[in-house]
Each structure stands twice: as C-alpha cells, then as structure tokens.
Amino acid sequence: MTSVATARKKQALSRFWADFRRHRAGIAGLAVLVVAVLLALVAPLFIDESVTSVIEGTGKRWAAPSLGEPFGTDESGRSILLMVWWGSRTSLLIGFLAALLSIVIGMVVGIAAGHFRGWSGGVLMRVTDWFLVLPSLVTALVLAAILGGSTFTIIVAIGITTWPSTARLIRAQTLAVEARPYIERSKALGAGHWHITTRHVLPNVAPLLLASTTLEVASAIVTESTLAFLGVSSNKTSWGTMLRGSYDWGAATQGAWWYILIPGLAILVVVMAFTLVGRALEAVLNPRLRRGA
C-alpha cells in the first residue's frame, strides 16, 4: 500500500509539473524567484552587513553607474549593488514569514468558520468582516509603530492585517468540500471534527493555499516597502528602506536616479515574479480555470 501511495504521489507531481511547464510566464517567474532566493541565501558568503554602514562607504558620493560601480553609489559612497543584494535578505524574509503568518491565520479561521455552522462560525466571520473593513496598510502602520521597529514586529503587523481575504476564500472552499456526500458518510461513521477538517477539508483546500501563498508573499513585500518608506522599518537595510533613504537625501534633486530606480526595480521584478507564479499555480490547481484554458 505504501508503494502504491508513493507511486500515485509521484505521478501527481509529474502531472502537476507538466501542467505548470505549459505556462511560460509562470516558468519565467519561477526562474527569477529561484535566482533571487539563491542570491539572498549566499549573500553572507561574499559580503556582510558592513556594506550598509554609512561610515564604511569607500566610494565617491553620488557616483553614477560605471564599470567599477554598476549600480552607482549613494550619499555616503555605499555601493547600491551591494546594498540591494544585502537588502534582499530582509525584504524576502519579511515577505515569506509575513505571508506564512497570514496564510496560517486565514486557513485556521476559514476552515473553522466553514466547518462550524453555528454561532461560533458566525462570530469568526464577523471578526473577519471587521478586519476586512479596516484599512490594512494604516492598521499595519499603527501596529508597527506601537510594537516598535524590528523584523519580528513588521512581520506580525503585516501578517495579522492581511489574513481576512484568505479566510473568506478558504471558508468558501470548505463549504464546497463539506457539501460532498463522502463528508456525510464520514460523519455517519462517527468521524469527529478533527478528522474531517484534517483528513478531508485540509487536503482539498491545500492547492488553493499554495496559490494564495505566492500572491501573499508579493503583497507582503510591497507592504513592507511601503511601511519602510513611510518611516516604519525593521532597522535593517531592505529595498523599502533604500527608497526611503533616497527620498530623505534628495536623490531626485541630486540627479541620482539610480538610487531610486534600482531598489524600485528589485521590488517590481520580484513582486511580478511571485504574481506570475501564483497565477500559473492557480490556473493549474483550479479545475475550472484548467478546463477553460
């Protein structure tokens, strides 16, 4: 039985990869993400946090891109290339962990609200609706300011303000799953709440969660950059703090377009890559979209 189950899983994975490869935009996005994550992981092997220090900048102030400095320098003579490379660690870390927190909260609330139909499910949905009407960016800004500036607080502030949309999506899928006949048979055979939600509901909503996660990471990166630009940062160099620095030091008036363009392009490229992968996953894992394609 174990070998049969393993063979089926391998067949399902090969089928999934074959379907995913048909989406060229998704493959392109995946390639960009692999490169970005690998560069962030190997960054400590080649550089360290000293590249972001204002007292250790060795280049010329506001040096334009050249062979020696491909992305130019900032107001302190720091290399924009090295700062973007090191800042990718913070931006991607916050993006992944904040999205994970958002997905976990949304999954738990959504499954619980869809499974328990009584007053408890109603209360969960009212809480979800209350969070939905709150402006997420303003709420995250206030929470981050109250909790203090650190990577952990930024992750928490983004995660607990972006889960409601996931919760509503998972609840709708949970209701669809629990309307199927085999759920009624499981209940008749004595299956409890834990068995139904973990053995039947969760496997059916997992593909939807996978597609949502990639889109949530993109949203979290944008939110972190926005918070950093507004002055609430993790006290570590990220693409958002670089944009804030370019604004504070008047890069536009100095003609240092590279200080604004390079971090902005890094955010744009990575967010677009996550979006392309998420859309491709959604098309592959959603039977309705797959039939339409």
Side-chain angles (χ1 to χ4, degrees):
M1 292 296 293
T2 304
S3 59
V4 173
T6 303
R8 287 180 178 177
K9 289 180 181 180
K10 289 182 179 179
Q11 186 180 10
L13 286 174
S14 62
R15 201 162 50 237
F16 164 79
W17 178 243
D19 291 338
F20 186 84
R21 283 188 303 175
R22 296 193 184 101
H23 297 268
R24 296 182 179 179
I27 291 294
L30 181 62
V32 171
L33 291 184
V34 169
V35 172
V37 171
L38 286 177
L39 286 175
L41 290 175
V42 303
L45 300 178
F46 300 95
I47 57 177
D48 55 41
E49 200 168 5
S50 63
V51 300
T52 66
S53 174
V54 295
I55 60 176
E56 295 191 26
T58 58
K60 181 182 177 183
R61 296 179 72 246
W62 304 120
S66 62
L67 291 178
E69 293 290 351
F71 290 172
T73 62
D74 65 356
E75 77 288 343
S76 301
R78 297 173 295 181
S79 171
I80 300 297
L81 171 61
L82 298 182
M83 289 181 65
V84 167
W85 189 3
W86 188 260
S88 65
R89 293 168 52 81
T90 303
S91 293
L92 291 176
L93 177 66
I94 292 177
F96 278 116
L97 294 184
L100 180 61
L101 178 60
S102 174
I103 290 295
V104 169
I105 297 175
M107 177 190 69
V108 173
V109 174
I111 292 178
H115 178 74
F116 299 101
R117 310 293 179 83
W119 65 269
S120 55
V123 169
L124 287 174
M125 288 314 298
R126 297 296 76 78
V127 172
T128 302
D129 293 338
W130 184 76
F131 271 94
L132 275 174
V133 299
L134 291 176
S136 58
L137 180 60
V138 175
T139 307
L141 184 65
V142 172
L143 283 175
I146 293 174
L147 296 175
S150 69
T151 302
F152 175 76
T153 56
I154 297 296
I155 291 170
V156 171
I158 296 174
I160 65 177
T161 56
T162 56
W163 61 266
S165 57
T166 301
R168 293 191 67 88
L169 188 66
I170 297 303
R171 177 182 178 271
Q173 185 70 8
T174 301
L175 292 174
V177 171
E178 296 209 355
R180 296 171 183 173
Y182 68 84
I183 298 294
E184 294 297 328
R185 289 196 294 268
S186 296
K187 291 179 180 178
L189 292 172
H193 299 301
W194 179 256
H195 178 86
I196 291 174
T197 54
T198 58
R199 297 296 182 88
H200 298 302
V201 176
L202 186 57
N204 281 281
V205 303
L208 191 60
L209 286 171
L210 179 61
S212 298
T213 300
T214 56
L215 299 176
E216 285 293 337
V217 174
S219 177
I221 291 175
V222 172
T223 303
E224 184 276 330
S225 301
T226 305
L227 291 175
F229 186 78
L230 293 175
V232 179
S233 68
S234 60
N235 296 323
K236 292 184 179 295
T237 299
S238 68
W239 296 333
T241 58
M242 291 183 66
L243 288 176
R244 176 68 189 189
S246 68
Y247 173 79
D248 289 338
W249 288 95
T253 58
Q254 295 288 339
W257 52 267
W258 54 89
Y259 196 5
I260 306 170
L261 181 64
I262 302 302
L265 281 179
I267 296 171
L268 176 64
V269 170
V270 171
V271 168
M272 181 61 70
F274 273 111
T275 303
L276 292 176
V277 172
R279 296 304 182 191
L281 287 174
E282 192 176 17
V284 171
L285 298 173
N286 191 325
R288 295 178 181 177
L289 295 178
R290 188 164 62 244
R291 284 197 297 269

